[in-house]
Amino acid sequence: MANPMWVERRSSMGSAPADKLCIHTATTRPLSIELGVDAYAAAGVAGITVWRDALSGRDPVAVGDRIRDAGLTPVSLCRGGFFVSPDAAARAVAVADNETAIREAAAIGVPMVVLVCGADPAVRLETARDQIVGGIEAVLPLAEELGVQLAIEPLHPMYADTRSAVNTMRSANDLTDRINHELVGVAVDVYHVWWDPQLEEQIERCGKRIFAFHVCDWRSPTRDLLTDRGLMGEGCIPIPQIRSWVEAAGFNGFNEVEVFSTEYWAQDQIGYIDRIVDAYGQHV
Ligand code: ZN
């Protein structure tokens, strides 16, 4: 907190408030989590979402301490899920891995694990959603014991073959209704749901079950379906409108910048973080 560079940079940022700005470590993947924490704090960023690959070889308790010592709030752990498989043994492995993620979240001190729920081309989507419910229910006792929330993130339907059988806010709401547990909610990522004509009504339906809000932009044309996300303002997603809907529904948490981009990963990451802060102030 006492880092003078951080104080100076934060106070010179201008009018755009960044007190709800969180960055995912995957956004600045070339930086170690230690360098990322220092750079985010120096740029006036308020929160950090930790991707599990950033924990590799590290003690999650120490990572959490380092995040808080820098003045950042740990927001989420990404990611658990991938509950779907035609093979029961593989589903059991997934449950165990999600339990590990829940323990890591508790050790870091983040309130939630975000779930990319899973899909498999060999499993019908209806069956996949049953397996997802089963997987979440299997890990809920540990989540309860450790007080960790689980956020179902609906993914764009282009990922319905291998990444998630939950592809709309409506589908995520239906699953959270089925599970009906206070620790199970939804992560709204504009990249995945912006196109949906039912988005506003389904965000309203989700209400207090909105646990997280992820922002980036949809580049047109998109050159890669996974690693060509744009910075806010570079594409066609009406981010402030969607933010207004999630906040009207009762969400009051961080706006998390999650940009997978081989183009940006190839650039100087410190300058890139300043661009993120700028884009956040103008387009979120
Ligand atoms: Zn996301």
Side-chain angles (χ1 to χ4, degrees):
M1 281 301 268
N3 181 340
M5 183 171 74
W6 181 74
V7 172
E8 184 195 325
R9 291 278 295 282
R10 187 170 189 130
S11 62
S12 66
M13 250 178 8
S15 59
D19 60 320
K20 287 189 178 177
L21 167 57
C22 165
I23 298 180
H24 283 224
T25 57
T27 298
T28 56
R29 184 169 287 170
L31 293 181
S32 69
I33 191 160
E34 292 81 11
L35 289 175
V37 163
D38 291 347
Y40 296 0
V45 174
I48 181 170
T49 280
V50 177
W51 276 61
R52 293 178 73 196
D53 63 331
L55 292 174
S56 174
R58 291 166 174 83
D59 170 13
V61 174
V63 169
D65 288 343
R66 180 157 185 145
I67 289 169
R68 282 178 291 272
D69 287 348
L72 295 172
T73 300
V75 175
S76 304
L77 181 67
C78 282
R79 59 195 183 186
F82 293 98
F83 294 111
V84 177
S85 172
D87 173 25
R91 295 200 297 276
V93 169
V95 166
D97 184 58
N98 278 271
E99 289 175 337
T100 301
I102 289 166
R103 287 193 188 90
E104 287 169 352
I108 297 167
V110 289
M112 90 186 83
V113 175
V114 175
L115 304 177
V116 170
C117 290
D120 189 298
V123 179
R124 289 170 55 93
L125 290 171
E126 301 86 340
T127 306
R129 287 188 279 272
D130 290 342
Q131 292 182 359
I132 289 164
V133 170
I136 292 172
E137 288 177 343
V139 302
L140 259 174
L142 182 66
E144 280 176 354
E145 182 188 328
L146 298 178
V148 174
Q149 297 175 309
L150 303 171
I152 295 170
E153 180 168 347
L155 256 55
H156 192 285
M158 68 182 168
Y159 300 123
D161 57 341
T162 57
R163 288 177 182 270
S164 186
V166 183
N167 305 107
T168 59
M169 279 297 294
R170 178 177 181 167
S171 179
N173 282 331
D174 289 347
L175 287 200
T176 53
D177 278 355
R178 258 175 86 178
I179 298 167
N180 192 23
H181 192 288
E182 62 179 3
L183 288 177
V184 179
V186 177
V188 180
D189 184 328
V190 299
Y191 195 73
H192 297 301
V193 299
W194 67 279
W195 54 272
D196 183 353
Q198 294 186 322
L199 185 57
E200 182 178 10
E201 70 190 62
Q202 291 297 327
I203 283 174
E204 187 183 356
R205 174 183 164 200
C206 196
K208 295 283 190 187
R209 279 182 172 155
I210 298 172
F211 287 174
F213 183 54
H214 298 175
V215 297
C216 66
D217 216 333
W218 184 279
R219 295 181 64 121
S220 187
T222 293
R223 299 163 297 185
D224 184 278
L225 295 182
L226 197 58
T227 58
D228 193 35
R229 292 188 179 200
L231 267 186
M232 300 78 71
E234 290 182 331
C236 53
I237 301 179
I239 301 169
Q241 181 178 53
I242 299 173
R243 178 183 177 180
S244 76
W245 292 340
V246 299
E247 292 183 351
F251 178 74
N252 189 31
F254 284 86
N255 303 301
E256 306 179 36
V257 177
E258 184 188 38
V259 178
F260 313 133
S261 166
T262 46
E263 182 178 321
Y264 283 123
W265 288 330
Q267 296 180 11
D268 163 55
Q269 297 296 289
I270 303 301
Y272 175 42
I273 291 167
D274 285 338
R275 280 192 66 180
I276 292 171
V277 173
D278 228 41
Y280 177 82
Q282 291 181 52
H283 303 290
V284 177

